[in-house]
Amino acid sequence: MAYPGYGGYGSPMPPQGMPGGPMGRPLPNHMGGPMLGPMGGAPPQVGGYAPYGGGYPGTYGALTPAANDPMWGYFTAIAGQDGEVDAMELQRCLTQSGFTGTYSPFSLETCRIMIAMLDRDFTGKMGFSEFKELFVALNGWKQNFTMFDRDRSGTVEHHELTQAISSMAGYRISPQALNAIIKRYNKGGRIYFDDYVACCVKLRALTDHFKRRDTMHQGSVHFGYDDFILCTMAI
């Protein structure tokens, strides 16, 4: 059985990810080459999404593998004393960096579920490696959204959201499920960028939870009640 793929979460990050602003100069294209967005139709990577792993230690004075990474400066500028980023810090980073451009800034709730998507130890925060992984995903989602937002209104219509979700590399969702998603995320028949990203985050996170439990690749799993609540309420 073919599995839903993530098509590019570990791909190179484009330079426009965090443009200038109070956080510093634009990010260089230090990973090289164009980014293959997770929803832009790129072929899925071997092995699916980027490897799971914890963040770097919060000992900023020590020389870590992250010290030579241009993203490290952005991370340490917003991370707390524990060396991790919470939802409010992430929201401030995304707002100050101008990531959303002409679109409305991300809500605190959307920032919470962004962290929850990668919060595999349930601390409510993210470390450096998760911070980088998030920006790769966000850049892909933004590229895909702007492709459908042809009039640059900051919204897409419900049929365009259907096309966007269907264009995800490998996601196979029934018409009934797509209809439920559209009803959940549309406002007056249109979907705003913030809601679009929230939809993408939840779809990826729930698929990740499902895939980790479907060890036999049968397309079905058995959830205990507590496990079900943990998977759904955590995001």
PDB file of all heavy atoms in Angstrom, residues 32-47:
ATOM      1  N   GLY A  32      21.981  25.595  -0.409  1.00  0.00           N
ATOM      2  CA  GLY A  32      22.244  25.379  -1.816  1.00  0.00           C
ATOM      3  C   GLY A  32      21.039  24.921  -2.615  1.00  0.00           C
ATOM      4  O   GLY A  32      20.301  24.055  -2.202  1.00  0.00           O
ATOM      5  N   GLY A  33      20.829  25.521  -3.773  1.00  0.00           N
ATOM      6  CA  GLY A  33      19.808  25.069  -4.698  1.00  0.00           C
ATOM      7  C   GLY A  33      18.407  25.493  -4.307  1.00  0.00           C
ATOM      8  O   GLY A  33      18.176  26.010  -3.226  1.00  0.00           O
ATOM      9  N   PRO A  34      17.452  25.272  -5.192  1.00  0.00           N
ATOM     10  CA  PRO A  34      16.070  25.657  -4.920  1.00  0.00           C
ATOM     11  C   PRO A  34      15.411  24.698  -3.949  1.00  0.00           C
ATOM     12  O   PRO A  34      15.777  23.533  -3.875  1.00  0.00           O
ATOM     13  CB  PRO A  34      15.411  25.563  -6.306  1.00  0.00           C
ATOM     14  CG  PRO A  34      16.209  24.511  -7.008  1.00  0.00           C
ATOM     15  CD  PRO A  34      17.623  24.684  -6.526  1.00  0.00           C
ATOM     16  N   MET A  35      14.423  25.197  -3.216  1.00  0.00           N
ATOM     17  CA  MET A  35      13.701  24.346  -2.292  1.00  0.00           C
ATOM     18  C   MET A  35      12.581  23.628  -3.008  1.00  0.00           C
ATOM     19  O   MET A  35      11.890  24.202  -3.827  1.00  0.00           O
ATOM     20  CB  MET A  35      13.105  25.162  -1.140  1.00  0.00           C
ATOM     21  CG  MET A  35      12.555  24.273  -0.053  1.00  0.00           C
ATOM     22  SD  MET A  35      11.430  25.164   1.018  1.00  0.00           S
ATOM     23  CE  MET A  35      10.028  25.293  -0.088  1.00  0.00           C
ATOM     24  N   LEU A  36      12.397  22.350  -2.685  1.00  0.00           N
ATOM     25  CA  LEU A  36      11.283  21.592  -3.212  1.00  0.00           C
ATOM     26  C   LEU A  36      10.206  21.576  -2.151  1.00  0.00           C
ATOM     27  O   LEU A  36      10.343  20.924  -1.130  1.00  0.00           O
ATOM     28  CB  LEU A  36      11.728  20.155  -3.540  1.00  0.00           C
ATOM     29  CG  LEU A  36      12.880  20.052  -4.548  1.00  0.00           C
ATOM     30  CD1 LEU A  36      13.287  18.607  -4.732  1.00  0.00           C
ATOM     31  CD2 LEU A  36      12.475  20.658  -5.877  1.00  0.00           C
ATOM     32  N   GLY A  37       9.148  22.318  -2.358  1.00  0.00           N
ATOM     33  CA  GLY A  37       8.109  22.488  -1.349  1.00  0.00           C
ATOM     34  C   GLY A  37       7.337  21.206  -1.101  1.00  0.00           C
ATOM     35  O   GLY A  37       7.123  20.402  -2.003  1.00  0.00           O
ATOM     36  N   PRO A  38       6.900  20.983   0.162  1.00  0.00           N
ATOM     37  CA  PRO A  38       6.183  19.769   0.500  1.00  0.00           C
ATOM     38  C   PRO A  38       4.818  19.676  -0.149  1.00  0.00           C
ATOM     39  O   PRO A  38       4.224  18.631  -0.169  1.00  0.00           O
ATOM     40  CB  PRO A  38       6.048  19.867   2.024  1.00  0.00           C
ATOM     41  CG  PRO A  38       6.167  21.324   2.333  1.00  0.00           C
ATOM     42  CD  PRO A  38       7.077  21.882   1.301  1.00  0.00           C
ATOM     43  N   MET A  39       4.312  20.781  -0.669  1.00  0.00           N
ATOM     44  CA  MET A  39       3.009  20.720  -1.298  1.00  0.00           C
ATOM     45  C   MET A  39       3.077  21.139  -2.753  1.00  0.00           C
ATOM     46  O   MET A  39       2.065  21.304  -3.417  1.00  0.00           O
ATOM     47  CB  MET A  39       2.014  21.623  -0.557  1.00  0.00           C
ATOM     48  CG  MET A  39       1.769  21.185   0.854  1.00  0.00           C
ATOM     49  SD  MET A  39       0.665  22.303   1.710  1.00  0.00           S
ATOM     50  CE  MET A  39      -0.781  22.232   0.666  1.00  0.00           C
ATOM     51  N   GLY A  40       4.260  21.324  -3.280  1.00  0.00           N
ATOM     52  CA  GLY A  40       4.396  21.844  -4.622  1.00  0.00           C
ATOM     53  C   GLY A  40       4.564  20.788  -5.694  1.00  0.00           C
ATOM     54  O   GLY A  40       4.991  21.082  -6.797  1.00  0.00           O
ATOM     55  N   GLY A  41       4.319  19.535  -5.358  1.00  0.00           N
ATOM     56  CA  GLY A  41       4.374  18.497  -6.379  1.00  0.00           C
ATOM     57  C   GLY A  41       5.739  17.866  -6.532  1.00  0.00           C
ATOM     58  O   GLY A  41       5.963  17.094  -7.453  1.00  0.00           O
ATOM     59  N   ALA A  42       6.688  18.175  -5.648  1.00  0.00           N
ATOM     60  CA  ALA A  42       8.005  17.566  -5.749  1.00  0.00           C
ATOM     61  C   ALA A  42       7.918  16.092  -5.383  1.00  0.00           C
ATOM     62  O   ALA A  42       7.099  15.695  -4.563  1.00  0.00           O
ATOM     63  CB  ALA A  42       8.983  18.277  -4.809  1.00  0.00           C
ATOM     64  N   PRO A  43       8.772  15.250  -5.954  1.00  0.00           N
ATOM     65  CA  PRO A  43       8.733  13.829  -5.607  1.00  0.00           C
ATOM     66  C   PRO A  43       9.125  13.635  -4.151  1.00  0.00           C
ATOM     67  O   PRO A  43       9.989  14.337  -3.627  1.00  0.00           O
ATOM     68  CB  PRO A  43       9.790  13.213  -6.550  1.00  0.00           C
ATOM     69  CG  PRO A  43      10.689  14.343  -6.901  1.00  0.00           C
ATOM     70  CD  PRO A  43       9.815  15.563  -6.927  1.00  0.00           C
ATOM     71  N   PRO A  44       8.500  12.685  -3.469  1.00  0.00           N
ATOM     72  CA  PRO A  44       8.818  12.462  -2.060  1.00  0.00           C
ATOM     73  C   PRO A  44      10.229  11.960  -1.891  1.00  0.00           C
ATOM     74  O   PRO A  44      10.765  11.263  -2.748  1.00  0.00           O
ATOM     75  CB  PRO A  44       7.798  11.394  -1.626  1.00  0.00           C
ATOM     76  CG  PRO A  44       7.399  10.711  -2.896  1.00  0.00           C
ATOM     77  CD  PRO A  44       7.470  11.766  -3.958  1.00  0.00           C
ATOM     78  N   GLN A  45      10.827  12.300  -0.770  1.00  0.00           N
ATOM     79  CA  GLN A  45      12.171  11.842  -0.469  1.00  0.00           C
ATOM     80  C   GLN A  45      12.152  10.377  -0.101  1.00  0.00           C
ATOM     81  O   GLN A  45      11.158   9.842   0.383  1.00  0.00           O
ATOM     82  CB  GLN A  45      12.743  12.613   0.724  1.00  0.00           C
ATOM     83  CG  GLN A  45      13.075  14.053   0.421  1.00  0.00           C
ATOM     84  CD  GLN A  45      13.740  14.653   1.631  1.00  0.00           C
ATOM     85  OE1 GLN A  45      13.205  14.619   2.731  1.00  0.00           O
ATOM     86  NE2 GLN A  45      14.911  15.173   1.445  1.00  0.00           N
ATOM     87  N   VAL A  46      13.266   9.724  -0.296  1.00  0.00           N
ATOM     88  CA  VAL A  46      13.406   8.373   0.212  1.00  0.00           C
ATOM     89  C   VAL A  46      13.394   8.452   1.726  1.00  0.00           C
ATOM     90  O   VAL A  46      14.146   9.199   2.333  1.00  0.00           O
ATOM     91  CB  VAL A  46      14.729   7.740  -0.279  1.00  0.00           C
ATOM     92  CG1 VAL A  46      14.899   6.369   0.333  1.00  0.00           C
ATOM     93  CG2 VAL A  46      14.734   7.662  -1.798  1.00  0.00           C
ATOM     94  N   GLY A  47      12.527   7.671   2.321  1.00  0.00           N
ATOM     95  CA  GLY A  47      12.463   7.706   3.783  1.00  0.00           C
ATOM     96  C   GLY A  47      11.490   8.738   4.308  1.00  0.00           C
ATOM     97  O   GLY A  47      11.332   8.859   5.511  1.00  0.00           O
TER      98      GLY A  47
END
